[in-house]
Each structure stands twice: as structure tokens, then as C-alpha cells.
Coordinates of all heavy atoms in Angstrom, one line a residue:
T1 N 40.7 -13.3 -0.1 CA 41.0 -12.9 -1.5 C 41.5 -14.1 -2.4 O 41.3 -14.1 -3.6 CB 42.0 -11.8 -1.6 OG1 43.3 -12.3 -1.1 CG2 41.6 -10.6 -0.9
G2 N 42.1 -15.1 -1.7 CA 42.6 -16.2 -2.4 C 44.0 -16.0 -3.0 O 44.6 -16.9 -3.5
E3 N 44.6 -14.8 -2.8 CA 46.0 -14.5 -3.2 C 46.8 -14.1 -2.0 O 46.3 -13.3 -1.2 CB 46.0 -13.4 -4.3 CG 45.4 -13.9 -5.6 CD 45.6 -12.8 -6.7 OE1 46.1 -11.7 -6.4 OE2 45.2 -13.1 -7.8
V4 N 48.1 -14.5 -2.0 CA 49.0 -14.0 -1.0 C 50.3 -13.5 -1.7 O 50.6 -13.9 -2.8 CB 49.4 -15.2 0.0 CG1 48.2 -15.6 0.8 CG2 49.9 -16.4 -0.8
T5 N 50.9 -12.6 -1.0 CA 52.2 -12.1 -1.5 C 53.3 -12.5 -0.5 O 53.2 -12.2 0.7 CB 52.2 -10.6 -1.6 OG1 51.2 -10.2 -2.5 CG2 53.5 -10.1 -2.2
Q6 N 54.3 -13.3 -1.0 CA 55.4 -13.7 -0.2 C 56.6 -12.9 -0.5 O 56.9 -12.8 -1.7 CB 55.6 -15.2 -0.4 CG 56.7 -15.8 0.5 CD 56.8 -17.3 0.2 OE1 56.6 -17.8 -0.9 NE2 57.2 -18.0 1.3
I7 N 57.3 -12.4 0.5 CA 58.5 -11.6 0.2 C 59.7 -12.5 0.3 O 59.9 -13.1 1.3 CB 58.6 -10.4 1.2 CG1 57.4 -9.5 1.0 CG2 59.9 -9.6 1.0 CD1 57.3 -8.3 2.0
R8 N 60.5 -12.5 -0.7 CA 61.8 -13.1 -0.6 C 62.8 -12.0 -0.4 O 63.1 -11.2 -1.3 CB 62.1 -13.9 -1.9 CG 63.4 -14.6 -1.9 CD 63.6 -15.6 -2.9 NE 64.8 -16.3 -2.7 CZ 65.6 -16.8 -3.6 NH1 65.2 -16.7 -4.9 NH2 66.7 -17.4 -3.3
Y9 N 63.4 -12.0 0.8 CA 64.3 -11.0 1.2 C 65.6 -11.1 0.4 O 66.2 -12.2 0.3 CB 64.6 -11.0 2.7 CG 63.4 -10.6 3.4 CD1 62.6 -11.5 4.1 CD2 62.9 -9.3 3.5 CE1 61.5 -11.2 4.9 CE2 61.8 -8.9 4.2 CZ 61.1 -9.9 4.9 OH 60.0 -9.5 5.5
G10 N 66.1 -10.0 -0.1 CA 67.4 -10.0 -0.9 C 68.6 -9.7 0.0 O 68.4 -9.5 1.2
S11 N 69.7 -9.7 -0.6 CA 70.9 -9.4 0.1 C 71.0 -8.0 0.6 O 71.8 -7.6 1.5 CB 72.2 -9.7 -0.7 OG 72.2 -9.0 -1.9
N12 N 70.1 -7.1 0.1 CA 70.1 -5.7 0.5 C 69.5 -5.6 2.0 O 69.7 -4.6 2.7 CB 69.3 -4.8 -0.4 CG 67.8 -5.2 -0.5 OD1 67.5 -6.4 -0.4 ND2 66.9 -4.3 -0.6
S13 N 68.8 -6.7 2.4 CA 68.3 -6.7 3.8 C 69.2 -7.3 4.8 O 68.9 -7.4 5.9 CB 66.9 -7.5 3.8 OG 66.0 -6.9 2.9
A14 N 70.3 -7.8 4.3 CA 71.3 -8.5 5.2 C 72.1 -7.5 6.0 O 72.4 -6.4 5.5 CB 72.2 -9.5 4.4
E15 N 72.6 -7.9 7.1 CA 73.5 -7.1 8.0 C 74.9 -7.7 7.8 O 75.1 -8.9 8.0 CB 73.0 -7.2 9.4 CG 73.9 -6.6 10.4 CD 73.5 -6.9 11.9 OE1 72.5 -7.5 12.1 OE2 74.3 -6.5 12.7
V16 N 75.8 -6.8 7.5 CA 77.2 -7.3 7.4 C 77.8 -7.4 8.8 O 77.9 -6.4 9.6 CB 78.1 -6.3 6.6 CG1 79.5 -6.8 6.5 CG2 77.5 -6.3 5.1
L17 N 78.2 -8.6 9.3 CA 78.8 -8.8 10.6 C 80.3 -8.6 10.6 O 80.8 -8.1 11.6 CB 78.5 -10.2 11.1 CG 77.0 -10.5 11.2 CD1 76.8 -12.0 11.7 CD2 76.3 -9.6 12.2
A18 N 80.9 -8.9 9.5 CA 82.4 -8.7 9.4 C 82.8 -8.7 7.9 O 82.1 -9.3 7.1 CB 83.1 -9.9 10.1
K19 N 83.9 -8.1 7.6 CA 84.4 -8.0 6.3 C 85.0 -9.3 5.8 O 85.1 -9.6 4.7 CB 85.4 -6.9 6.1 CG 84.8 -5.5 6.3 CD 85.8 -4.4 6.1 CE 85.2 -3.0 6.3 NZ 86.2 -2.0 6.1
T20 N 85.6 -10.1 6.8 CA 86.2 -11.3 6.5 C 85.9 -12.4 7.5 O 85.4 -12.0 8.6 CB 87.8 -11.2 6.5 OG1 88.2 -10.9 7.8 CG2 88.2 -10.2 5.5
V21 N 86.1 -13.6 7.2 CA 85.8 -14.7 8.2 C 86.8 -14.6 9.4 O 86.4 -14.8 10.5 CB 85.9 -16.1 7.5 CG1 85.8 -17.2 8.5 CG2 84.9 -16.2 6.4
K22 N 88.0 -14.2 9.1 CA 89.0 -14.1 10.2 C 88.5 -13.0 11.1 O 88.6 -13.2 12.4 CB 90.4 -13.7 9.6 CG 91.4 -13.4 10.6 CD 92.7 -12.9 9.9 CE 93.7 -12.5 11.0 NZ 95.0 -12.0 10.4
E23 N 88.1 -11.9 10.6 CA 87.6 -10.8 11.5 C 86.4 -11.3 12.3 O 86.3 -11.0 13.5 CB 87.1 -9.6 10.7 CG 86.6 -8.4 11.5 CD 86.1 -7.3 10.5 OE1 86.8 -7.0 9.5 OE2 85.1 -6.7 10.8
Y24 N 85.5 -12.1 11.7 CA 84.3 -12.6 12.4 C 84.7 -13.5 13.6 O 84.2 -13.4 14.7 CB 83.4 -13.3 11.4 CG 82.2 -13.9 12.1 CD1 81.1 -13.2 12.5 CD2 82.1 -15.3 12.3 CE1 80.0 -13.7 13.1 CE2 81.0 -15.9 12.8 CZ 79.9 -15.1 13.2 OH 78.8 -15.6 13.8
I25 N 85.7 -14.4 13.3 CA 86.1 -15.3 14.3 C 86.8 -14.6 15.5 O 86.6 -14.9 16.6 CB 87.1 -16.4 13.7 CG1 86.3 -17.3 12.8 CG2 87.8 -17.2 14.8 CD1 87.1 -18.2 11.9
L26 N 87.7 -13.7 15.1 CA 88.4 -12.9 16.2 C 87.5 -12.1 17.0 O 87.6 -12.0 18.2 CB 89.5 -12.0 15.5 CG 90.7 -12.8 15.0 CD1 91.7 -11.8 14.3 CD2 91.4 -13.5 16.1
N27 N 86.5 -11.5 16.4 CA 85.5 -10.7 17.2 C 84.7 -11.6 18.1 O 84.5 -11.2 19.3 CB 84.5 -10.0 16.2 CG 85.1 -8.8 15.5 OD1 86.2 -8.3 15.9 ND2 84.5 -8.4 14.4
G28 N 84.4 -12.8 17.7 CA 83.7 -13.8 18.6 C 84.6 -14.3 19.7 O 84.1 -14.4 20.8

């Protein structure tokens, strides 16, 4: 077709790993 659609994923597609950096480090 000569045309492509590229999806730029937004922050709605992101997974929250921790509420704070401290929580993320302690969980690790």
C-alpha cells in the first residue's frame, strides 16, 4: 500500500512497578 501506521505507546500502556523509588528499591 505504501503506507504504514506506527503506534506510539502512551503512559496508559505502562505498568506501575512501585509508587515510589524507595518502594521499588526495597522490593528489589
